[in-house]
Structures are given as C-alpha cells and as structure tokens.
Amino acid sequence: MTPEQFRAMGHRAVDWIADYLERIEQFPVLSQVEPGRVRAGLPAHPPREGEPFDAVLADLDRVVLPGVTHWQHPGFFGYFPANSSGPAIIGELLSAGLGVQGMLWATSPACTELETVVVDWMAELLGLPAHFRTDDRGGGSIQDSASSSVLVALVAALRRARAGSATARPTVYLTAQAHSSVEKAARIAGLDADALRVVDVDPDTLAMDPGHLAALIDADVAAGLAPAMVCATIGTTATGAIDPVRRIGEVTTRHGVWLHIDAAWAGSAAVCPELRWINDGVAEHADSYCMDPHKWLLTNFDCSLLWVADRAPLIEALSIMPEYLRNRATESGAVIDYRDWQVPLGRRFRALKLWLVIRWYGARGLAEHIRTGVRLAQHLAAMVADDPGFELLPHHPLGLVCFRPLWPGADPDDADRRTLDLLERLNAGGQLYLTHAKVHDRVVLRFAVGSPQTRDHHVEAAWRGIREQREAGLRVGATGR
Ligand code: PLP
C-alpha cells in the first residue's frame, strides 16, 4: 500500500467511524445475532488476491455490524462502561501509525518517556500520593488490563513474602466480592486454591471486614504460613462496594503484607476532588494501586494503570536480562525499561491515547464526565427509590445502581426467575443493555452509567422500559403464562 492509497483509505475509515458514532442510536444495543451468524456470513477461505477496501467496508456493514454489541451506545448500562472517545481513537491510530514496540527505553525512548509523563500526570489528576510518582520511590506503568495489573502485583508480593521466609507457604486474602481476576492471578502464579483466604464482608455494605482479615492473618502467621498479599477493592464489580482501605491497611502494615488496591472501575472517580474519599488510606498503606482508564475515563481499551509505592520489588521480581536485550542505556541505570514492569516483553505505545485524552479534556473535562455519570446514576436511584414496585440497594455513591423488581406473592427462587426473564425481555428490545449480579444469593439488576453519550432522557427512557417490563411480568405472572 502506497502512502497515497493509505491516505485515501484512512480518510474513508475515519469517515466510517464518524458516521457509525453519529448513527449509533439506530442500532440495538445488544447484538441480536444467533451464534455462528457472523462466521456464516464470511467466506471459509482467505482471498487468493487482494481485495478493494470497498468490499471490506461492505462486509463491515453487512456482516460485522449486526454482530456488534454497541458499547458506546448511550443505552449501554451493562457490566462497567468501556469508554471510547475521539481523542483516544485518534491516539490508537497514531500509535498504530508509528508502529513502535517499546519493550526497552532504547527501542523507542519517546514510548517510555511519554508513558512516564502520563502515568505521573494521572497520579496527580487522581490525587494519588507523591511516592507513587516516578520521581519518587514508586512509579506507574500502563498494563493491558486490571487482570494483568493484579498478577504483576501478586508476583512482586510473593517475591517479597518469600524473601522473608523461603519455605513458608504464601497466602492471599480477598473477599467473595473481589473480581475473579484476583483468583485467576493466584492460579497463574501457581498458588493452590487453599492459599486463598476469603475474608468476610459487612452484610450491609458488602465491604471487607478488617476484623476478620486480622483474625485470618493472625491465624495463618501462628500456623507458620506467609501472608503475601491482601487485595482490597474500591468499587466491586457486582455492586460497587468500597473496602475500608485505611482499616485494612492498618492490618497489612502491621504484618508487612502487600496491599494491592483494585480500583479498576471506580478509580476514575478520583479525578473529582469531592470523590477522593474513596481512596482514604491508600497514601499510607497501599503497595500497589490499579485503575482502568479503559473503563470510565474515555480511553479505548486497553489501558490499565498500575502504580507501585516502591518500584524495586516489582523490578526485582520481573527483570531478566538475556544477552540480546543488553544495551548501553539500560546498563547506565538512567532509563526505565517497562518490560520489567509487566508480563510480556513487547509493549504497545499506549501512552499516546491517554496523552491525547488528557490534553483534549483537561482535568476539568475529565471531572465533568465523571460528575455527569454520577449525577445520572443518582437520578435513576431516586426514581427507583420512589417506586414501590422496586427495591433499591442502599449504597450507590458513584455510577452504579443496583435494584430489584418486586414480585408480590412470589417465593425467592420464583422472584429471581422473573427478574431474569424481565432482564432478557429488556435486552431483547434493543434500546438498552443491563446486566445482573447476585447479592446474598439473590438476583439484582445492575445499572452502570458511564457512556459520554448518555443523557437524562436516555436514563429516563431506560427506567420507563424497566417499569413497563415489570408490569408485563406481573401480567404474565397473574395469568400463569
Ligand atoms: N477489577 C474490577 C473491580 C473489575 O470490575 C474488573 C472488570 O470489570 C476487573 C478488575 C478486570 O478488568 P480488566 O478487564 O481490565 O482485566
């Protein structure tokens, strides 16, 4: 492809994306295709000769789009948001255009140094402690996911625990509300299931019980085990619960246990000074902290930030220097090689998209985006609270609201079944997409606001749809059909 051909195709591709974003509300939020439909629409064998871009664009519209769930749709309220934005898309394009592989400082100094600048900027934007900054003991890096971030933190924590006691079996502490990536990280790190300790949660807030954590750690120490890491969550996936980091940190600091903070979704909220209470205790106690701009901060997947309070244990755990990577810059000790902060060797130039996002929106624009999401979630919560046909779960300070429709006369299992039926009907309607979770083993609906396109009228229309589907469910229940 010549530069001129690239320019022409690139303009058309950008036009296609702009048109898509402009007409996104015409599509059903949740893809309605049955399994196998996308594959069946495409040839089983690759083309022998190259094809024109027109043919590809036609297939994008005809085959691919029907199989897309539109995460950027203003009616997308499922899971957590996976924000995209114009500057982030352009940042991805620029990154692809440069085609850099930034495993070492020497393989592209700008890739490393821009990353250092944006992670330090982000630490400042979120009000994180100064020792998380690269010009202090710590530092941040861009990982592909919060799952990788917790794995990397765990590997560093295990190394530290083993340095304290080479033979004692390590243990890891989390609640049943923690994200599954913590358990997965433990498996990848080679820990047996019995190395995991499930800490109780407060039955009302679903946040970790620091008293139970202390008791578990005390018992493990007494049994000769080596408590290695506690993972506290700020904003759990099911309900947005916020573990009490300060009180948890008092326990981990007392025992010298690594404290990892998973703020994958909620961490973005700290761009608003009035929401920084969520990080209370992080400055004093956290060894590592993760948040995903690819969830709620307008930056296309993938972009997960991991900071450490002290970079030495992380680098000691992950740095291996084969002869073919030796170079003068690394040996001078004057540069960062981010390959030593992550699982893979190679790395994308992800800093570009975050840099574009921060420069386009500024601190003020980022905070406005979060405040809008929180305001809309509170608007929904107020409507749910006012409706006697629904039960609102009490704690929803950010952009996630959980609630359940009430089914008079139904036993708990029947009520769950009817709630899931309601969810299926809603999502099949194409106007919105919600997901569910279980709280104390009972189904709740999760409504996560976060798309930059979502306005009051989208939330109000969604609420009308939910109420209508409850009415429909009551009628079906009444006739027994
Ligand atoms: N932690 C929490 C609290 C999450 O909600 C999620 C995903 O929703 C993750 C971790 C995993 O995120 P990622 O896809 O970046 O690995």
Side-chain angles (χ1 to χ4, degrees), residues 80 144-148 179 181 233 235-237 262 264-265 292 294-295 301 304:
F80 280 136
D144 59 7
S145 62
S147 306
S148 291
H179 191 264
S181 53
T233 310
T236 59
T237 313
D262 175 1
W265 161 68
D292 287 351
H294 69 223
K295 287 193 165 58
F301 192 88
S304 175

Side-chain angles (χ1 to χ4, degrees), residues 146-154 157 173 181-182 208 228-234 243 245 248 252 257-264 282 285-291 305-308:
S147 306
S148 291
S149 294
V150 69
L151 173 60
V152 161
L154 177 59
Y173 305 78
S181 53
V182 187
M208 188 184 284
M229 186 174 98
V230 174
C231 179
T233 310
I234 295 179
D243 288 339
V245 171
I248 292 167
T252 55
V257 180
W258 187 289
L259 176 57
H260 176 70
I261 309 293
D262 175 1
V282 166
H285 300 293
D287 292 283
S288 49
Y289 182 99
C290 165
M291 55 81 62
L305 303 189
L306 174 69
W307 285 274
V308 283

Side-chain angles (χ1 to χ4, degrees), residues 25-92:
E25 289 193 52
Q26 297 169 8
F27 300 102
V29 187
L30 178 67
S31 170
Q32 311 284 318
V33 298
E34 67 279 7
R37 165 88 178 278
V38 176
R39 281 182 71 187
L42 296 169
H45 303 287
R48 190 176 161 74
E49 303 294 338
E51 294 182 77
F53 189 45
D54 279 327
V56 179
L57 279 181
D59 281 352
L60 259 182
D61 286 321
R62 184 181 62 86
V63 189
V64 176
L65 268 185
V68 167
T69 287
H70 301 279
W71 284 69
Q72 308 310 318
H73 193 294
F76 187 99
F77 303 113
Y79 306 105
F80 280 136
N83 282 179
S84 142
S85 68
I89 298 169
I90 301 289
E92 284 280 25

Side-chain angles (χ1 to χ4, degrees), residues 391-474:
E391 178 195 353
L392 175 69
L393 267 65
H395 305 284
H396 44 76
L398 303 174
L400 173 67
V401 180
C402 296
F403 57 95
R404 55 166 70 88
L406 298 176
W407 306 105
D411 67 35
D413 286 341
D414 196 31
D416 280 357
R417 188 187 52 71
R418 290 170 75 173
T419 301
L420 290 173
D421 285 350
L422 174 151
L423 183 62
E424 206 163 301
R425 289 195 303 275
L426 263 178
N427 290 341
Q431 300 301 308
L432 78 165
Y433 182 41
L434 294 192
T435 51
H436 77 283
K438 279 194 172 175
V439 172
H440 300 311
D441 222 25
R442 290 294 155 208
V443 173
V444 293
L445 301 179
R446 296 172 69 264
F447 194 101
V449 187
S451 161
Q453 324 303 338
T454 305
R455 304 281 175 270
D456 288 75
H457 69 89
H458 296 111
V459 172
E460 285 156 12
W463 176 233
R464 272 197 305 279
I466 295 165
R467 292 183 66 197
E468 279 162 21
Q469 287 305 336
R470 177 174 175 272
E471 294 297 323
L474 287 172

Side-chain angles (χ1 to χ4, degrees), residues 78-277:
Y79 306 105
F80 280 136
N83 282 179
S84 142
S85 68
I89 298 169
I90 301 289
E92 284 280 25
L93 185 60
L94 293 175
S95 168
L98 291 174
V100 157
Q101 206 278 54
M103 58 189 177
L104 300 167
W105 178 89
T107 60
S108 210
C111 181
T112 295
E113 294 193 17
L114 188 63
E115 182 157 334
T116 304
V117 168
V118 295
V119 292
D120 283 352
W121 277 8
M122 279 301 301
E124 183 179 326
L125 283 166
L126 298 170
L128 292 175
H131 60 263
F132 277 11
R133 291 177 56 92
T134 319
D135 50 16
D136 206 306
R137 270 184 308 130
S141 62
I142 308 183
Q143 308 273 331
D144 59 7
S145 62
S147 306
S148 291
S149 294
V150 69
L151 173 60
V152 161
L154 177 59
V155 170
L158 287 172
R159 190 178 169 93
R160 196 168 84 177
R162 284 182 179 128
S165 165
T167 51
R169 274 182 36 234
T171 44
V172 171
Y173 305 78
L174 73 172
T175 73
Q177 302 295 315
H179 191 264
S180 56
S181 53
V182 187
E183 185 177 339
K184 196 176 206 178
R187 278 199 214 171
I188 296 169
L191 298 181
D192 293 333
D194 67 3
L196 294 181
R197 299 283 181 273
V198 180
V199 186
D200 288 348
V201 294
D202 177 298
D204 175 43
T205 61
L206 302 178
M208 188 184 284
D209 172 355
H212 188 228
L213 173 69
L216 287 174
I217 293 182
D218 284 342
D220 285 340
V221 171
L225 302 178
M229 186 174 98
V230 174
C231 179
T233 310
I234 295 179
T236 59
T237 313
T239 65
I242 296 173
D243 288 339
V245 171
R246 180 170 296 284
R247 291 175 55 216
I248 292 167
E250 284 159 9
V251 178
T252 55
T253 301
R254 190 160 66 242
H255 287 278
V257 180
W258 187 289
L259 176 57
H260 176 70
I261 309 293
D262 175 1
W265 161 68
S268 295
V271 295
C272 301
E274 72 277 17
L275 295 174
R276 289 198 185 141
W277 58 267

